[in-house]
Amino acid sequence: MAGSATRLPRPLREPSPSPESIGTAPSPGSGPVRTCVGCRERGPRSGLVRIVAVEGTVLVLDERGGAPGRGAWLHVQERCLDRALARHALPRALRLQGADASQVEAALRAAIRSR
């Protein structure tokens, strides 16, 4: 059998890690996952709100989550909002210079109080 190639056995594939071994990984099928710009924790899209820039540097809440443009995601929690504002994470995530986050801050604080 000159010239015939011998087949080598396929290497065994390691099983994918279980969610328990990863830590706080979302379970499969739980929907899209986003990262909060305040606390940097990952969570389901339904647990965060989206913030977008309109008219250049004005930030607004995207209630429906489908506005065009680049968005930043944030938990509706006081500590996440405070961290995002202290770190200037919203303008940086949206790639804006000198963005006005006062409208977003007021809207988010009102939403937090209503919960």
Side-chain angles (χ1 to χ4, degrees):
M1 294 196 144
S4 67
T6 58
R7 289 189 95 157
L8 298 175
R10 296 175 103 187
L12 296 175
R13 294 169 63 188
E14 292 186 30
S16 59
S18 66
E20 294 80 25
S21 67
I22 295 174
T24 59
S27 62
S30 63
V33 176
R34 301 291 183 259
T35 301
C36 174
V37 295
C39 64
R40 304 295 300 156
E41 292 180 9
R42 294 176 53 160
R45 178 181 171 174
S46 60
L48 289 92
V49 293
R50 184 171 184 250
I51 300 162
V52 295
V54 294
E55 298 176 11
T57 59
V58 178
L59 304 182
V60 295
L61 286 177
D62 181 10
E63 298 289 335
R64 294 174 37 196
R70 187 170 190 84
W73 295 85
L74 190 69
H75 285 114
V76 185
Q77 296 177 357
E78 193 91 26
R79 68 181 180 93
C80 292
L81 176 60
D82 291 339
R83 284 183 184 176
L85 293 173
R87 295 175 46 232
H88 304 284
L90 290 170
R92 187 173 49 246
L94 297 170
R95 297 181 183 168
L96 299 173
Q97 296 290 331
D100 180 23
S102 61
Q103 290 178 337
V104 172
E105 181 179 2
L108 279 172
R109 293 202 190 278
I112 291 167
R113 284 187 207 111
S114 68
R115 285 189 165 206

